Amino acid sequence: MPLAPFTSLNIGGPARFFTVAGNLDQLRQALLFARRQGVRFCVLGGGSNLLVSDDGFDGLVIRLQLQGIQVSGHRIEVQAGVDLTALVRRTAQLGLSGMESLAGIPGLVGGAIRGNAGAYGGCIGEVTETVFALQADSLELLALDRGECAFDYRNSRFKRDPSLVVVSALLTLAPGDCEEIRRKVEGTIAKREARQLQCDLSVGSFFMNPVVTDPELICRFEADQGVRCRENRIPAGWLIDQAKLRSIRVGAAMVSQKHANYLINTGNANAQEMTRLARLVKMEVRAALGVQLQEEVSCLGFNPEPDRGQPS
Ligand SMILES: Cc1cc2nc3c(=O)[nH]c(=O)nc-3n(C[C@H](O)[C@H](O)[C@H](O)COP(=O)(O)OP(=O)(O)OC[C@H]3O[C@@H](n4cnc5c(N)ncnc54)[C@H](O)[C@@H]3O)c2cc1C
């Protein structure tokens, strides 16, 4: 099964095995199948943060389609296969506040929990009370409270430990005014659409915003942008821009003209071009500014994983 159509980059070769899991039992069966075949597995959500190698993945891809939302007062139990923006819109209808800033982030709830997706100062970890995750080896369903999930900037326990598959999450929101929440949600979506980034083939921000220790660089950023940098993190896009890399290309892979942290597929780019472009960006930013960028995107089917190997 070719994986490119399942990713927002539209890049990547085939999976050796591919299946869809619509409930917990099917997910357990799929994990058992991978174990019996002696292959690795990978869970696929919306594919909006995934770069698949041109050779594909020599294992089992499990497309999660666990659907379902249960509301109890101001708490929502949501399954991993629910579309994140559909969930945010639903919270507005229910008059529940806390997820407005996440509106318009592509992908599904499971992927969002794993990467602690966030935007405009908010992230999903902040409203998450408990995550239910299936441990792939024991097939045991774990209930992990927020502390145990170890949410951090674009990170969580689920990203650090790929044997945990997020199945559902219990979110705690605050009661609010439906119309006001709806206005905020639609405002966030409109702000995103105005940037015209959603229509390009990308994974959103390709690199994480790095922690910078150089006080001069921090001053330069703050003077240039007129904002204070938070937790010493400087936007990767600003750094890439400073290194004058906007619009550079490797084949059909390009640093976006509109947002320097978006590496886009301009048509028929392959994974090799994408990874060569990413390597070039990292090298140039390091040479120009002394900062090491790290991929935010998840990579599948590379050997070694481009974001796990030595800084390239
Ligand atoms: C145009 C655009 C804009 C974006 N803007 C933002 C933004 O503002 N903020 C932001 O944080 N992100 C943003 N992203 C990135 C992306 O939308 C998020 O990272 C999203 O949460 C990924 O979810 P997904 O379901 O698509 O995950 P996928 O891409 O399917 O998977 C990503 C990784 O998570 C793993 N995974 C998926 N589901 C599960 C699960 N249930 N359990 C365990 N592991 C799982 C996969 O194996 C893979 O390693 C943007 C992407 C695009 C294309």
Side-chain angles (χ1 to χ4, degrees):
M1 172 75 81
L3 294 174
F6 294 100
T7 72
S8 56
L9 272 173
N10 196 27
I11 285 177
R16 180 158 157 209
F17 301 109
F18 186 97
T19 191
V20 174
N23 58 45
L24 200 54
D25 192 44
Q26 288 173 359
L27 177 58
R28 281 202 174 96
Q29 292 302 323
L31 292 168
L32 273 173
F33 173 84
R35 197 187 299 168
R36 280 195 213 106
Q37 293 290 329
V39 296
R40 287 174 302 148
F41 75 90
C42 169
V43 173
L44 177 67
S48 63
N49 196 24
L50 199 59
L51 174 59
V52 180
S53 109
D54 296 319
D55 295 331
F57 177 58
D58 189 23
L60 170 68
V61 168
I62 307 169
R63 190 163 196 228
L64 266 203
Q65 287 191 337
L66 300 154
Q67 299 283 345
I69 298 178
Q70 268 199 327
V71 184
S72 170
H74 59 279
R75 293 159 115 199
I76 297 185
E77 186 171 348
V78 58
Q79 293 205 283
V82 170
D83 178 85
L84 181 65
T85 297
L87 171 67
V88 175
R89 284 205 158 110
R90 182 79 190 279
T91 63
Q93 286 167 356
L94 293 163
L96 294 173
S97 172
M99 300 190 79
E100 295 88 328
S101 69
L102 309 182
I105 298 179
L108 311 183
V109 167
I113 295 270
R114 179 217 179 240
N116 192 16
Y120 303 114
C123 57
I124 196 161
E126 286 169 0
V127 294
T128 303
E129 189 179 309
T130 310
V131 173
F132 299 92
L134 198 65
Q135 212 290 333
D137 303 314
S138 65
L139 299 182
E140 194 187 342
L141 189 64
L142 309 177
L144 302 165
D145 66 30
R146 185 187 306 167
E148 291 173 305
C149 294
F151 288 114
D152 200 353
Y153 167 73
R154 299 299 167 270
N155 212 341
S156 74
R157 176 170 178 171
F158 313 100
K159 193 165 183 178
R160 296 182 195 102
D161 180 356
S163 74
L164 292 175
V165 179
V166 176
V167 166
S168 63
L170 184 61
L171 311 177
T172 306
L173 302 172
D177 175 65
C178 285
E179 193 43 40
E180 196 182 317
I181 298 167
R182 196 195 60 78
R183 234 180 297 120
K184 280 190 192 159
V185 166
E186 297 310 324
T188 308
I189 292 173
K191 226 189 297 181
R192 283 180 164 273
E193 281 174 355
R195 299 170 81 196
Q196 296 188 328
L197 295 166
Q198 311 277 112
C199 49
D200 290 321
L201 301 178
S202 79
V203 288
S205 293
F206 198 92
F207 299 104
M208 289 193 272
N209 296 335
V211 172
V212 169
T213 47
D214 176 0
E216 252 176 59
L217 191 57
I218 292 175
C219 282
R220 202 169 123 194
F221 165 74
E222 290 183 341
D224 184 56
Q225 295 293 295
V227 290
R228 306 279 304 167
C229 87
R230 272 184 268 164
E231 294 161 352
N232 281 13
R233 285 193 189 273
I234 292 188
W238 184 82
L239 296 165
I240 297 168
D241 229 4
Q242 296 298 302
K244 308 222 177 324
L245 299 170
R246 218 176 258 240
S247 300
I248 64 154
R249 302 174 74 108
V250 172
M254 185 175 101
V255 174
S256 166
Q257 176 76 263
K258 294 174 256 176
H259 188 316
N261 197 13
Y262 275 48
L263 271 51
I264 60 173
N265 172 5
T266 61
N268 56 356
N270 57 32
Q272 203 189 8
E273 291 169 344
M274 258 310 155
T275 49
R276 277 174 49 209
L277 180 64
R279 220 176 290 140
L280 182 66
V281 167
K282 287 167 87 171
M283 201 177 71
E284 294 289 333
V285 167
R286 198 167 53 232
L289 305 163
V291 177
Q292 180 64 54
L293 294 177
Q294 274 299 325
E295 282 82 353
E296 181 175 326
V297 63
S298 296
C299 295
L300 182 67
F302 294 87
N303 195 12
E305 299 282 330
D307 57 344
R308 300 250 170 92
Q310 288 296 308
S312 39

